[in-house]
Amino acid sequence: MRKILLTGFAPFGAEKTNPSWDAVQVLDGQMIDDARIISLQLPSEFDVCLQVLEDAMRAHQPEVVLSLGQAGGRADITVERVAININDARIPDNIGQQPIDTPVAEHGPVGYFSSLPIKAIVQALRQHGIPASVSHTAGTYVCNHVFYGLMHLLPNHPSVKRAGFVHVPYTPDQAAAHPGAASMAVTTMTAAIRLMLETTLHTAHDIHVSGGITH
Ligand code: PCA
């Protein structure tokens, strides 16, 4: 049986919910073509999140691993291009740890690129009326830590053909506490995740369109 491992995070910081998990949770057991989705919640903790992820990769031997987290304040779904080998926590994690300028992996490379078809995913989401863009930073907190750690683990998990990370914005009820912030309903996020997975299974080579930015 082909399997897809889908992860979201526990709530962190001042938020009581984390839509990355709420959107992922409902997909547990659903099929994309002949691949079954396994949904997993990761703790928002530097120390243990990668162990929980690797245990699940070992147990399920997935073909695709898609991890999601929340980036409140971003305007749309952001498909991450690159993970970097640094932890620099702006706030403590859920067990009070706040690493500053430590590597995710001692002696690891500076960064890893996503192996998802990130441009094709953004295009598919936009074609279905869901706002999305390529992001060139997953931050330096727990999400980047998991994204980098995931890519670093891949040589030990040959079942995994594609892996990457996506951030979701606030939900409307979260945004109500952050006036002016953009938001997206969890049901839209869930539909977006199904589209991302379909696009990943159906796209052998990413499309050649610009997802770049100028500053
Ligand atoms: N977002 C945080 C960690 C957990 C989450 O959902 C981040 O972007 O690092």
Side-chain angles (χ1 to χ4, degrees):
M1 161 78 80
R2 298 169 79 195
K3 291 180 190 164
I4 296 166
L5 182 60
L6 202 53
T7 76
F9 275 103
F12 71 104
E15 301 298 330
K16 293 184 177 57
T17 59
N18 192 327
S20 71
W21 171 242
D22 298 335
V24 155
Q25 185 180 23
V26 296
L27 291 170
D28 188 41
Q30 290 192 19
M31 304 295 292
I32 306 284
D33 298 346
D34 58 346
R36 187 159 58 87
I37 296 174
I38 294 150
S39 299
L40 173 73
Q41 189 189 74
L42 298 181
S44 293
E45 299 166 25
F46 282 94
D47 253 8
V48 289
C49 55
L50 281 173
Q51 197 54 57
V52 174
L53 178 62
E54 185 169 24
D55 288 350
M57 287 164 70
R58 194 172 295 120
H60 298 294
Q61 315 235 327
E63 180 177 321
V64 174
V65 182
L66 173 59
S67 287
L68 292 103
Q70 172 156 56
R74 287 195 181 174
D76 56 4
I77 287 182
T78 43
V79 183
E80 300 295 345
R81 185 196 289 266
V82 60
I84 59 174
N85 192 13
I86 199 86
N87 302 309
D88 188 0
R90 181 180 59 81
I91 55 173
D93 71 10
N94 284 1
I95 55 165
Q97 295 199 315
Q98 190 171 10
I100 293 175
D101 294 351
T102 62
V104 180
E106 206 75 53
H107 311 301
V110 169
Y112 288 106
F113 288 124
S114 173
S115 55
L116 301 178
I118 58 172
K119 304 286 184 69
I121 287 172
V122 167
Q123 185 182 70
L125 294 179
R126 289 177 179 171
Q127 281 172 352
H128 285 80
I130 300 175
S133 54
V134 172
S135 163
H136 311 281
T137 174
T140 56
Y141 193 52
V142 181
C143 287
N144 174 74
H145 182 86
V146 158
F147 183 16
Y148 185 96
L150 165 62
M151 304 313 288
H152 194 67
L153 284 170
L154 292 186
N156 298 329
H157 297 271
S159 72
V160 182
K161 306 285 180 267
R162 318 291 282 275
F165 198 96
V166 169
H167 270 114
V168 296
Y170 284 133
T171 56
D173 58 311
Q174 287 180 306
H178 300 276
S183 66
M184 183 180 285
V186 170
T187 50
T188 306
M189 296 179 190
T190 299
I193 295 165
R194 279 198 65 98
L195 276 169
M196 291 176 210
L197 294 174
E198 284 167 13
T199 305
T200 299
L201 292 187
H202 300 165
T203 309
H205 301 287
D206 204 0
I207 56 173
H208 187 69
V209 296
S210 176
I213 49 171
T214 54
H215 279 303

